[in-house]
Amino acid sequence: NIFLLGSIDAKSFERFVIWSAALLVYYLFVGLHASYDEAKAIAAEAHAGKVEDGDAREMAPPTNGK
């Protein structure tokens, strides 16, 4: 990869950097947010299973960070 990046002209390298930065921002705003939502859904599902089993008092309910 380093060889390929070293063999392209300056304009192509600028476009590569711009697209990489844009995709990194997209990942930070969309990908991480989706991962966080999925983790919260899994935790809520696990807590619901404890309630159904009658073990709810052993596990605190999920909090929102407060």
Side-chain angles (χ1 to χ4, degrees), residues 1-9 12-13 16:
N1 289 339
I2 293 172
F3 172 75
L4 291 174
L5 287 174
S7 66
I8 60 176
D9 61 341
S12 298
F13 189 74
F16 168 75

Side-chain angles (χ1 to χ4, degrees), residues 7-64:
S7 66
I8 60 176
D9 61 341
K11 284 289 192 186
S12 298
F13 189 74
E14 289 173 14
R15 287 191 297 266
F16 168 75
V17 170
I18 291 169
W19 275 106
S20 295
L23 292 173
L24 179 64
V25 169
Y26 176 81
Y27 168 72
L28 289 175
F29 285 115
V30 177
L32 287 180
H33 181 69
S35 297
Y36 177 75
D37 287 346
E38 185 65 24
K40 283 184 70 174
I42 290 171
E45 186 176 304
H47 178 67
K50 289 286 187 182
V51 171
E52 291 173 3
D53 294 339
D55 296 333
R57 61 184 159 242
E58 293 178 11
M59 184 175 149
T63 62
N64 59 2

